[in-house]
Amino acid sequence: MTTSKALLCSLIGIALLFPAALRAEKPAPESLPKPVCQAAHESSPKPAPGRASETEPLRPVASAFTFEIGRQSALDTYLSPIRYSGLDVALGYERLRAASFAPEKWLTRHNVLLNFASMSNQSGSGAMMSLYLDYSFAMLRRWQLGRGLWLAGGGEAALTLGGLYNLRNSNNPATAKVAIDLGATAMASYHLRVGRLPLTFRYQVSLPVVGTFFSPAFGQSYYEMFYLGNTAGIVHFGAWHNRVDLRNYLSVDLHLGKMALRLGYRQLMRTTHVNHLDTQVLGHMFVLGISGEIFRSAPPARRVVSVYN
């Protein structure tokens, strides 16, 4: 999939999610059955001094640990004009929790992804490796569109650290990748049962909008930058005119008791065009993991606000 097609697909997805969220009706009337995770005892005795308020909702942490495997292709003209491709493996962690200030409406999300790829060129005469560490924090406003169907959208801050290493090069064999971004993110989730098996389908998309990133000039060596001190023009303002990153994540959780088996697909795109240099890194990953909700204490008989819907 080309960069323009991937970006167009995600923009269409965001365009479909947000108008529906803005037209969302109020939650279902009290006469309809509530989800188990939101069942409440509205009235509870006033707690004794020094104890946590019984009216404060319990906000369990929804966590997922994943192992991911797939394929990555990379083009970086600082290292080579040739595209490389090969095996990509990753470890991921996701943490979701209702916000403390408005738990029914807002949630927070932390994502960490560490991935490594070993690639070769088409002729097999050269090899390249890549290593990336991504962290993001998002604050999302959510809307319930129907029983089990939720949409959410908001802002996200992201940090990327990593680099590419070309084993064939003797001069300038590696290039570092560092970026800080602010962007938009959206999420749709649907909870249902197939027989006795509860399922949660979720789609997430993240699109950085503005930020800063590091890139040397064409032919500028790291020795020249960091030993001789020629660092002018290596930090750039990033926006869609010179940098487009994209993250798509589709998953299904099969709830098996207290934990769930997660299956999914993740697509990552990293592109820059600056200083007469092009970088295009595209990854497609199959996701396998475990997920579930963690209660910080034994759930008392009070309202539970869960993001696992």
Side-chain angles (χ1 to χ4, degrees):
M1 179 182 291
T2 63
T3 299
S4 59
K5 288 183 179 179
L7 177 59
L8 178 60
C9 290
S10 295
L11 289 175
I12 291 174
I14 294 175
L16 292 175
L17 288 177
F18 277 100
L22 294 176
R23 296 194 300 268
E25 298 177 356
K26 294 181 179 180
E30 294 297 326
S31 59
L32 295 178
K34 293 183 178 180
V36 174
C37 64
Q38 290 183 339
H41 290 271
E42 299 296 338
S43 60
S44 57
K46 189 174 181 179
R51 296 182 59 187
S53 172
E54 293 296 325
T55 60
E56 180 183 352
L58 190 70
R59 301 175 292 117
V61 175
S63 298
F65 298 89
T66 60
F67 171 75
E68 308 179 14
I69 186 168
R71 192 165 182 82
Q72 182 180 114
S73 66
L75 170 68
D76 191 296
T77 55
Y78 180 81
L79 300 176
S80 171
I82 301 174
R83 182 176 293 275
Y84 288 70
S85 60
L87 180 68
D88 193 0
V89 294
L91 296 174
Y93 171 71
E94 179 186 63
R95 182 184 188 273
L96 297 167
R97 195 183 188 195
S100 59
F101 57 88
E104 291 84 0
K105 296 181 179 180
W106 290 88
L107 64 95
T108 60
R109 183 183 70 202
H110 298 263
N111 269 327
V112 181
L113 184 68
L114 175 66
N115 76 290
F116 170 80
S118 178
M119 300 169 284
S120 61
N121 57 22
Q122 189 173 6
S123 66
S125 60
M128 180 184 289
M129 296 185 295
S130 74
L131 180 67
Y132 281 95
L133 174 64
D134 294 287
Y135 168 76
S136 66
F137 170 78
M139 180 74 70
L140 298 98
R141 170 69 160 90
R142 63 176 183 162
W143 300 266
Q144 185 175 10
L145 300 187
R147 187 173 181 180
L149 177 61
W150 294 81
L151 294 183
E156 183 175 49
L159 170 66
T160 298
L161 300 172
L164 298 167
Y165 180 75
N166 192 316
L167 280 69
R168 192 177 184 181
N169 289 5
S170 57
N171 186 31
N172 297 344
T175 181
K177 303 297 180 184
V178 181
I180 301 175
D181 298 296
L182 295 175
T185 184
M187 180 171 67
S189 62
Y190 182 59
H191 188 79
L192 74 158
R193 284 179 175 269
V194 177
R196 296 184 177 181
L197 179 63
L199 302 175
T200 300
F201 291 89
R202 183 178 291 132
Y203 169 68
Q204 304 178 49
V205 57
S206 296
L207 182 63
V209 178
V210 296
T212 60
F213 67 98
F214 165 83
S215 177
F218 184 82
Q220 184 180 18
S221 68
Y222 283 74
Y223 172 83
E224 180 183 352
M225 286 182 282
F226 300 110
Y227 187 78
L228 300 182
N230 183 14
T231 58
I234 63 174
V235 178
H236 306 270
F237 169 76
W240 291 347
H241 68 288
N242 62 1
R243 182 169 185 263
V244 178
D245 278 20
L246 183 63
R247 307 176 186 98
N248 286 294
Y249 187 24
L250 179 64
S251 64
V252 56
D253 287 353
L254 291 73
H255 300 272
L256 307 170
K258 295 183 179 181
M259 303 302 292
L261 173 66
R262 172 165 294 188
L263 303 174
Y265 162 77
R266 190 192 303 270
Q267 182 251 342
L268 294 172
M269 184 178 73
R270 315 172 194 270
T271 66
T272 61
H273 176 72
V274 68
N275 288 345
H276 305 290
L277 294 173
D278 287 318
T279 299
Q280 299 174 14
V281 180
L282 183 63
H284 299 276
M285 311 287 288
F286 172 74
V287 178
L288 176 65
I290 57 172
S291 62
E293 289 190 327
I294 300 172
F295 289 87
R296 294 187 181 276
S297 60
R302 71 173 189 260
R303 183 164 54 100
V304 177
V305 179
S306 168
V307 297
Y308 217 102
N309 294 303

